[in-house]
Amino acid sequence: MPGRRMSSLMLCALALYAAAAVADVITTVRGLERGGVEANPVIRWFMERLGHGWIVFKLALTAAIAFYAVSHGYVAVVFVLAVITGLVAWHNTRVV
C-alpha cells in the first residue's frame, strides 16, 4: 500500500508541477506581449538567443527537473517546485 500511495502522490505532484509550468509560460508570454520584461536573467538570456524557442527550453528544463526528482523519489521537492512555479505564474498576472 505505501508504494501505491507514493505513486499517487507523485502523480499528483507531477500534474501540479506541469500545470504550474504551463501557466508560467502562458502568463510570461502574455506579460511580454503587454510590454513586460522577463525578470529571471537566465531565462531572459535564453529568450534573447532562442526567440520563441525559450518556451521549449523552459518546459524541457521543467521536465528534466521533474524526471530527476521522480527518479529519486523526492515527492516533497516536486510539490514545493509546483507551489513556487504556481506562485510565479500568479505573480506574472499581477505584474503587467
Side-chain angles (χ1 to χ4, degrees), residues 38-60:
E38 174 60 45
N40 182 329
V42 174
I43 298 299
R44 190 176 336 117
W45 186 87
F46 280 99
M47 287 175 166
E48 291 167 358
R49 281 148 186 83
L50 300 176
H52 290 294
W54 72 269
I55 295 169
V56 174
F57 167 77
K58 189 165 188 174
L59 292 176

Side-chain angles (χ1 to χ4, degrees), residues 10-96:
M10 186 59 82
L11 287 174
C12 182
L14 286 171
L16 288 172
Y17 189 34
V22 170
D24 180 28
V25 167
I26 290 169
T27 57
T28 298
V29 168
R30 287 184 181 159
L32 294 171
E33 289 171 347
R34 294 179 179 152
V37 294
E38 174 60 45
N40 182 329
V42 174
I43 298 299
R44 190 176 336 117
W45 186 87
F46 280 99
M47 287 175 166
E48 291 167 358
R49 281 148 186 83
L50 300 176
H52 290 294
W54 72 269
I55 295 169
V56 174
F57 167 77
K58 189 165 188 174
L59 292 176
L61 180 61
T62 299
I65 292 168
F67 177 78
Y68 178 83
V70 168
S71 67
H72 289 80
Y74 299 146
V75 178
V77 171
V78 177
F79 269 115
V80 169
L81 290 171
V83 169
I84 291 169
T85 305
L87 289 172
V88 168
W90 176 79
H91 179 263
N92 288 348
T93 66
R94 302 285 181 231
V95 172
V96 179

